[in-house]
Amino acid sequence: MTVTATSVGQPDRLEPQATPVSRRARLLRLLPAAVAALSGVLLYVSFPPRTLWWLALPAFACFGWVLRGRSWKAALGLGYLFGLGFLLPLLVWTGVEVGPGPWLALAAIEAVFIALVGVGVAKVSELPAWPLWAAALWIAGEAARARVPFRGFPWGKIAFGQADGVLLPLAALGGTPVLGFAVVLAGFGLYEAVRLVLERRRTGEVRRSAAVVALLSLAVPFGAALAARTLVSDKAEDGTATVAVIQGNVPRLGLEFNAQRRAVLDYHARETERLAAEVKAGKAAQPDFVLWPENSSDIDPFAYADAAAVIDKAAKAIGAPISVGGVVERDGKLYNEQILWDPVKGPTQTYDKRQIQPFGEYLPLRSLIGAINGDWTSMVRQDFSRGTKPGVFDMDDAKVGLVTCYEAAFDWAVRSEVTDGAQLISVPSNNATFDRSEMTYQQLAMSRVRAVEHSRTVTVPVTSGVSAIIMPDGKITQKTGMFVADSLVQKVPLRSSETPATRLGILPEIALVLVAAGGLGWAAAVGVRARRSV
């Protein structure tokens, strides 16, 4: 403390002045918050389109550091900052069409789940084998996010950032919950290993049991992934099929909406007819079937003869059945529908999207939201209805399972097609309204994970890109650019065997949720005994 002079005639007064020590203390108090937010950003950077999957491990290591031993209030705030650091950049594409409001609201709501996970991780952080309980808690949080609110939003599951990672084979073992658990466990194990090394340097000793836990937390995920590689194969089990994926592209901005809908249909028909000419000229293989994207015919071909004629002409030109993505009205209800269009018989089978997108395909709490902002209700004038049955089309001699766009993020939606007999999965999508954002690459990574999870070829026909063909081992063999008209033709393997992940279904996720609950119960019991002993 120093004495400062005042004006003449006034008594001297003592004023405290900040010292370097106090400034440093304030900075140190802010350090955990900064690390929490930046480690969330680091986790985002590990996601596609980047191939830096391994950054998820130091991200969770830092998250473990900031949470260890914290009070529940501090952990809640730090977990929220981690969630915002991760989700704000990951989901920025949700505001491309509608502005920043929905994007910020979505990230803020979803980050609450991560904040609650942070509280749980802090509670179990001093238990023996804490990385196990903490990683299970993260998966429990993902399980909750995938179900509520409005039937869930699983975008950003840790597994979806691992399409290029060495742990990917674990998807075939136990699906996205096991793959995500392994990544988080290794991340927390990395922190525990570093912590023990520093403790050893400081004290000269370390508990052997803690060292074993740290070593196993790192070694088991990678060892299990190595063993699980035997589950990954791209060999044909039921022969092969030559598939054509059509990307018709969309017209330039500024066209009136109905004209644009017709233009999109015409573009996809035109690209199919162009491919037919190449087949006739011997420049391309004759496809057994053709896959169009979601919304490739937003004009209902059952109601408008001109739309039906365009599709029929394209099917006859290519000489193969086409799966067409249409918007169909039936009994006064709207459906996002896939239509199997045969060149001889016309439409023969349909699949109605079951997991429809809130605020995009239907508006929850319509009256309340309309009172807040009438523009939102005008953007979704009529809600889409949900389908009720899996969609597996009989296309030539292949059974093709349909998973429409947003559905690819949901474990149950993809698995149901495989258990219903699909030998190949198609994920028709429409990403045109998200411009050149990372959304299409994030969704493409999901399809790569699904290919390994269920050991199926996955095709991704998209209106404007990136369309792709993915082998059952998760590798992309062909893909298009964005906002170009193009087609992909390839002979792909058909498979019917089921991976452990397909057979087990939801059981691994339930098991991990129970592990998380057990860890929290143990931590609560320890806390009660500690209070009683005081």
Side-chain angles (χ1 to χ4, degrees), residues 49-309:
R50 294 156 297 276
T51 58
L52 304 174
W53 58 271
W54 51 272
L55 286 178
L57 273 64
F60 278 104
C62 293
F63 193 40
W65 174 72
V66 299
L67 291 176
R68 182 175 173 81
R70 299 285 179 182
S71 69
W72 74 267
K73 290 182 180 178
L76 187 71
L78 292 169
Y80 196 70
L81 288 173
F82 180 84
L84 289 179
F86 172 45
L87 294 172
L88 278 172
L90 186 80
L91 302 178
V92 67
W93 53 267
T94 60
V96 169
E97 182 74 10
V98 293
W103 159 51
L104 295 173
L106 177 62
I109 292 169
E110 293 295 309
V112 171
F113 290 90
I114 297 178
L116 295 174
V117 168
V119 174
V121 171
K123 291 293 183 185
V124 304
S125 65
E126 295 184 11
L127 292 179
W130 75 268
L132 171 71
W133 315 113
L137 278 163
W138 182 275
I139 300 305
E142 287 190 345
R145 284 208 302 125
R147 290 166 174 83
V148 292
F150 313 127
R151 300 201 176 192
F153 185 75
W155 215 279
K157 292 181 79 170
I158 297 305
F160 297 149
Q162 296 296 307
D164 291 292
V166 299
L167 298 176
L168 179 60
L170 290 173
L173 184 64
T176 59
V178 167
L179 174 54
F181 172 76
V183 174
V184 181
L185 177 63
F188 286 143
L190 175 62
Y191 162 62
E192 182 69 353
V194 172
R195 186 183 72 82
L196 292 176
V197 168
L198 295 177
E199 183 178 308
R200 175 68 180 269
R201 288 181 177 178
R202 187 176 67 253
T203 65
E205 59 183 29
V206 67
R207 287 181 293 115
R208 180 175 298 178
S209 60
V212 170
V213 166
L215 179 62
L216 290 177
S217 297
L218 279 167
V220 168
F222 290 96
L226 183 64
R229 289 180 64 181
T230 59
L231 301 173
V232 180
S233 173
D234 62 358
K235 293 181 179 178
E237 295 175 333
D238 304 303
T240 60
T242 300
V243 59
V245 170
I246 300 297
Q247 178 175 301
N249 202 12
V250 294
R252 66 184 184 277
L253 297 178
L255 291 180
E256 192 270 336
F257 180 68
N258 286 330
Q260 180 160 320
R261 289 193 302 169
R262 177 54 191 266
V264 171
L265 172 58
D266 289 342
Y267 281 15
H268 285 82
R270 183 185 308 161
E271 183 60 27
T272 304
E273 290 166 8
R274 187 196 65 79
L275 175 61
E278 288 196 350
V279 171
K280 187 176 181 180
K283 297 178 181 179
Q286 169 64 48
D288 296 315
F289 51 87
V290 179
L291 301 168
W292 284 10
E294 178 189 32
N295 300 127
S296 47
S297 179
D298 274 1
I299 301 175
D300 185 350
F302 296 111
Y304 295 93
D306 59 334

Side-chain angles (χ1 to χ4, degrees), residues 440-451:
T440 191
Y441 300 103
Q442 293 170 9
Q443 191 177 51
L444 187 60
M446 290 180 195
S447 295
R448 294 178 64 192
V449 173
R450 299 305 186 192

Side-chain angles (χ1 to χ4, degrees), residues 151 336 351-357 385-391 402-404 407 412-417:
R151 300 201 176 192
N336 186 336
Y351 166 65
D352 298 322
K353 187 176 182 180
R354 293 170 293 166
Q355 187 69 36
I356 56 177
Q357 184 180 349
S385 295
R386 305 176 190 277
T388 57
K389 298 178 181 179
L402 283 305
V403 180
T404 306
E407 292 182 318
W412 66 267
V414 185
R415 178 176 177 269
S416 67
E417 312 301 70

